[in-house]
Amino acid sequence: MSKQKELLTLHGQLLAGDTRAASKIVELVIASLVAIVKRDIAGLHDHQDVEEACFDALFKYLAAPKNYNPQLAELTTYLAAIAKGKAMTLRRSQARRTKHEGTYSAIENSSDDPLAAIDDEDSMIRQIDWERFGDQLVKDPGDAVIVNLIKVGASSVPVVAQALGLAADESGLEEAGRRLERIRGRARRFGEGTKA
């Protein structure tokens, strides 16, 4: 019996409620799926990512085998299309994360970045008369947390994001960076003798 015929038979058994057919389908197609995804989707971080995409495709199929139409494609082709879609999504996510981590790594290590120029601004903030100007520097919820982090020298973007309860993803870190720079801007204006 050819592999395709065997898969069609197992697909029919799966539709009829035979749960053993699921494991047999996985055994028959997993190696082929992994090879197809590795060949067609370059740039994933490691072999486990390829396997994850393939198993996700199999789980999707096994959860709703009725969605597969044998008249349109072979089962391996159908599963490969799903796995490649999941692998491409994972690759895009990894690329965004790598770019994002590189950007924030550069910010953390840059000596000419305004967020990295902590010493002068921290000393400005420590010299602020909190009784007189504290309400003007702390205007929004979370501002006091950021100021306190700056005062103790722990005001990196990831630390601020965590302290504010923001997600450690791209949008959370961007929001933390914006809020941190807003406080630093107010501190600079106080340091220059202007009202924030």
Side-chain angles (χ1 to χ4, degrees):
M1 185 185 303
S2 74
K3 185 176 177 181
Q4 176 58 19
K5 287 184 180 180
E6 188 175 359
L7 286 171
L8 282 174
T9 302
L10 291 168
H11 174 69
Q13 292 172 355
L14 186 64
L15 290 174
D18 184 357
T19 55
R20 293 174 298 175
S23 62
K24 291 178 185 175
I25 290 170
V26 172
E27 287 175 27
L28 280 173
V29 299
I30 190 63
S32 300
L33 284 179
V34 168
I36 291 168
V37 172
K38 278 179 85 170
R39 179 193 70 210
D40 294 349
I41 311 296
L44 288 170
H45 287 181
D46 58 40
H47 183 72
Q48 288 178 335
D49 294 333
V50 174
E51 290 178 350
E52 179 184 332
C54 294
F55 279 111
D56 285 350
L58 282 161
F59 293 143
K60 182 176 181 175
Y61 160 70
L62 294 172
K66 292 178 183 175
N67 291 342
Y68 166 62
N69 183 348
Q71 303 299 319
L72 298 177
E74 292 183 0
L75 183 57
T76 305
T77 305
Y78 172 77
L79 292 169
I82 296 171
K84 287 194 287 187
K86 291 184 176 292
M88 286 189 296
T89 300
L90 181 58
R91 183 181 63 191
R92 283 190 297 270
S93 172
Q94 289 174 345
R96 279 193 305 270
R97 185 171 57 243
T98 301
K99 179 182 175 189
H100 170 73
E101 288 169 352
T103 299
Y104 278 95
S105 175
I107 287 172
E108 291 296 314
N109 295 325
S110 172
S111 60
D112 57 326
D113 180 57
L115 293 179
I118 291 173
D119 293 337
D120 293 338
E121 291 173 1
D122 285 351
S123 64
M124 274 194 279
I125 289 175
R126 281 193 290 271
Q127 293 172 11
I128 291 173
D129 181 349
W130 287 98
E131 295 299 319
R132 191 168 161 205
F133 297 114
D135 291 339
Q136 293 175 14
L137 191 61
V138 178
K139 295 181 178 182
D140 300 312
D143 286 356
V145 171
I146 297 171
V147 170
N148 288 331
L149 288 171
I150 293 171
K151 287 172 74 175
V152 297
S155 60
S156 69
V157 173
V159 171
V160 169
Q162 182 180 7
L164 295 175
L166 299 171
D169 61 6
E170 187 174 350
S171 64
L173 292 172
E174 285 179 9
E175 174 66 17
R178 277 193 300 273
R179 294 179 72 176
L180 179 60
E181 183 53 32
R182 189 170 55 228
I183 295 294
R184 290 187 183 285
R186 290 177 193 157
R188 281 191 294 270
R189 286 190 294 278
F190 276 120
E192 293 165 359
T194 61
K195 191 172 179 180

